[in-house]
């Protein structure tokens, strides 16, 4: 049985679909939850203006359905929509969620697995040489059996004369085939050296690398590129950098490196040595900018500076190794051999350094003088050699301080 309502409210809320009824005051939809009813259906009004895509409950087709049950179904629909909205909301820590502009963050670059160095097709050159000799011997025997060898050669080699019958078609094909085999076998012979490797490619595709030494046979159809895989070192030119305080420096770095993956070193970049030089410059500028060149503050021992060559070298080596690993270069060490100020600021920084050294020296001398004065006055007083009041004690301390400080300063200047 429908809930009775005020006739004025009915007239004000009447629409094209029929009268609207308020929900019961005790249900979960609240006092503003309204229900639009017609002859066949009852639809909660708040669902007509929702922008949520949640599935709406089917309207009740019972004409006599109570407003309380319809309002409760509306409240449950709202709760379900809120739950679905919370499920669809991306977690702030989700790495796969798109960024503000709608694009996903770029993934870190990964080296192509096909460019990883692997063993290329090659064999010992002595086998190729043996095949070439056998092919040439077979072709020569067929030519001699057909009587096509000149008399001078047969006389020189002491071979019996053969009638000049010529070669039939299959013999000619065999001779041509033997010659092609000999050329193919001899054309692939090369010399492998210690500390170098061949990178092979066929029709633009990487086929493998060869690190064999001695006489080696590689298919002459493949394009061969040699790369040096020995342990090498490179000393950079003075590079411009700035320290943590923005002071311009000149840094020289010694890098010990080796080509670990010949395929990536040759095929990933145009010039792996130029790539290494550029990375050394970039990494040096980045690492040097983290620390000051010198510390003029006290205590200076607790402040890390660029004068700690071991710590700076470890940071340079680790960072450079991570940058060069993608191109097949293994960096064993990167040590700064010289860190100095730029010529424009060298004079000013030298004066600042001398002032800091002089201040530290004066502080050391003054500390030792004060210790000596304190010990002298204390010993004189404890042994009863003098009896001093406050005024006399201050005067004695002043005279002893001046005397000891003058003596220490003269001794230091003499040395």
């Amino acid at each position: 049985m429908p809930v009775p309502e005020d006739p004025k409210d009915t007239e004000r809320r009447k629409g094209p679909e029929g009268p609207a009824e308020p929900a019961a005051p005790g249900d979960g939809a609240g006092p503003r939850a309204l229900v639009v009813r017609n002859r066949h259906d009852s639809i909660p009004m708040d669902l007509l203006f929702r922008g949520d895509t949640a599935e709406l409950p089917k309207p009740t087709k019972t004409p006599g359905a109570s407003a309380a049950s319809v309002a409760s179904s509306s409240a449950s629909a709202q709760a379900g929509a809120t739950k679905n909205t919370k499920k669809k909301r991306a977690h702030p820590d989700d790495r796969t969620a798109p960024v503000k502009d709608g694009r996903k963050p770029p993934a870190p670059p990964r080296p192509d697995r096909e460019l990883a160095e692997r063993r290329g097709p090659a064999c010992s050159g002595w086998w190729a040489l043996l095949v070439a000799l056998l092919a040439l011997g077979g072709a020569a025997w067929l030519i001699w059996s057909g009587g096509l060898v000149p008399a001078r050669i047969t006389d020189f080699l002491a071979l019996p004369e053969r009638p000049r019958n010529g070669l039939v078609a299959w013999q000619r094909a065999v001779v041509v085939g033997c010659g092609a085999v000999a050329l193919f076998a001899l054309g692939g012979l090369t010399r492998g050296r210690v500390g170098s490797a061949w990178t092979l490619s066929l029709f633009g595709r990487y086929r493998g690398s060869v690190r064999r030494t001695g006489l080696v046979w590689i298919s002459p159809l493949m394009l061969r590129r040699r790369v040096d895989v020995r342990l090498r070192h490179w000393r950079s030119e003075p590079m411009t950098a700035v320290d943590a305080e923005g002071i311009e420096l000149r840094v020289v770095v010694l890098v010990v490196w080796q080509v670990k993956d010949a395929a990536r070193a040759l095929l990933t970049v145009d010039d792996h040595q130029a790539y290494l030089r550029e990375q050394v410059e970039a990494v040096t500028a980045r690492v040097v900018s983290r620390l000051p060149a010198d510390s003029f503050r006290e205590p200076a021992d607790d402040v890390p500076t660029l004068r700690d060559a071991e710590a700076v070298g470890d940071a340079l080596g680790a960072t450079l190794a991570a940058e060069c690993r993608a191109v097949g270069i293994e960096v064993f060490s990167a040590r700064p051999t010289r860190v100095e100020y730029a010529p424009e600021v060298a004079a000013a920084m030298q004066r600042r350094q001398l002032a800091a050294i002089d201040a530290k020296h004066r502080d050391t001398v003054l500390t030792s003088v004060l210790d000596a004065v304190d010990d002298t006055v204390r010993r004189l007083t404890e042994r009863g050699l003098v009896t001093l009041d406050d005024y006399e004690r201050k005067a004695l301390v002043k005279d002893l301080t001046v005397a000891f400080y003058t003596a220490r300063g003269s001794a230091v200047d003499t040395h």
Side-chain angles (χ1 to χ4, degrees), residues 237-242 247-253 284 288 307 336-345:
E237 298 294 332
M239 296 178 293
T240 303
V242 293
I247 301 175
E248 189 174 356
L249 304 174
R250 296 291 186 269
V251 185
V252 178
V253 180
T284 301
V288 168
R307 303 304 176 186
T337 59
R338 189 174 64 187
V339 180
E340 59 185 13
Y341 294 103
E344 297 82 5
V345 298

Side-chain angles (χ1 to χ4, degrees), residues 217-235:
W217 183 84
I218 302 173
S219 174
L221 300 178
M222 295 186 181
L223 179 62
R224 293 173 282 184
R225 297 176 61 184
R226 189 187 292 271
V227 58
D228 193 347
V229 296
R230 295 175 295 178
L231 186 66
R232 306 169 66 181
H233 69 278
W234 175 70
R235 181 186 180 92

Side-chain angles (χ1 to χ4, degrees), residues 238-288:
M239 296 178 293
T240 303
V242 293
D243 64 353
E245 298 179 354
I247 301 175
E248 189 174 356
L249 304 174
R250 296 291 186 269
V251 185
V252 178
V253 180
L254 179 65
V255 183
V256 180
W257 62 284
Q258 183 183 19
V259 174
K260 191 68 174 180
D261 193 314
R264 292 180 180 174
L266 285 181
L267 303 178
T268 305
V269 292
D270 293 336
D271 189 352
H272 61 279
Q273 297 185 21
Y275 178 85
L276 176 64
R277 290 192 294 267
E278 294 175 359
Q279 287 298 327
V280 168
E281 185 175 357
V283 169
T284 301
R286 183 171 25 171
V287 173
V288 168

Side-chain angles (χ1 to χ4, degrees), residues 86-226:
K86 291 182 178 179
K87 286 184 179 179
K88 294 179 181 179
R89 187 176 302 164
H91 196 273
D93 295 336
D94 190 4
R95 301 295 182 90
T96 61
V99 294
K100 293 182 179 180
D101 57 355
R103 296 177 298 176
K104 292 184 178 181
R110 297 180 180 179
D112 191 358
R113 294 184 178 181
E114 294 184 357
L115 291 181
E117 181 177 346
R118 59 180 182 269
R119 189 175 180 179
C123 66
S124 176
W126 298 106
W127 290 106
L129 188 61
L130 178 62
V131 170
L133 292 177
L134 291 177
L136 291 177
W141 182 80
L142 288 176
I143 293 174
W144 171 77
S145 63
L148 301 178
V149 179
R152 292 178 299 177
I153 298 178
T154 56
D155 295 340
F156 177 78
L157 297 177
L159 297 176
E161 292 288 340
R162 300 287 295 180
R164 193 177 183 85
N165 298 326
L167 300 176
V168 295
W170 69 269
Q171 291 178 335
R172 295 176 182 176
V174 170
V175 170
V176 172
C178 290
V181 169
L183 290 177
F184 190 77
L186 295 177
L189 290 178
T190 184
R191 180 170 60 93
R193 296 180 297 182
V194 177
S196 65
W198 291 103
T199 300
L200 310 180
S201 59
L202 181 63
F203 303 118
R205 184 178 180 182
Y206 173 68
R207 303 299 297 174
S209 300
V210 178
R211 292 180 178 248
R212 301 177 61 128
T213 58
L215 191 62
V216 183
W217 183 84
I218 302 173
S219 174
L221 300 178
M222 295 186 181
L223 179 62
R224 293 173 282 184
R225 297 176 61 184
R226 189 187 292 271

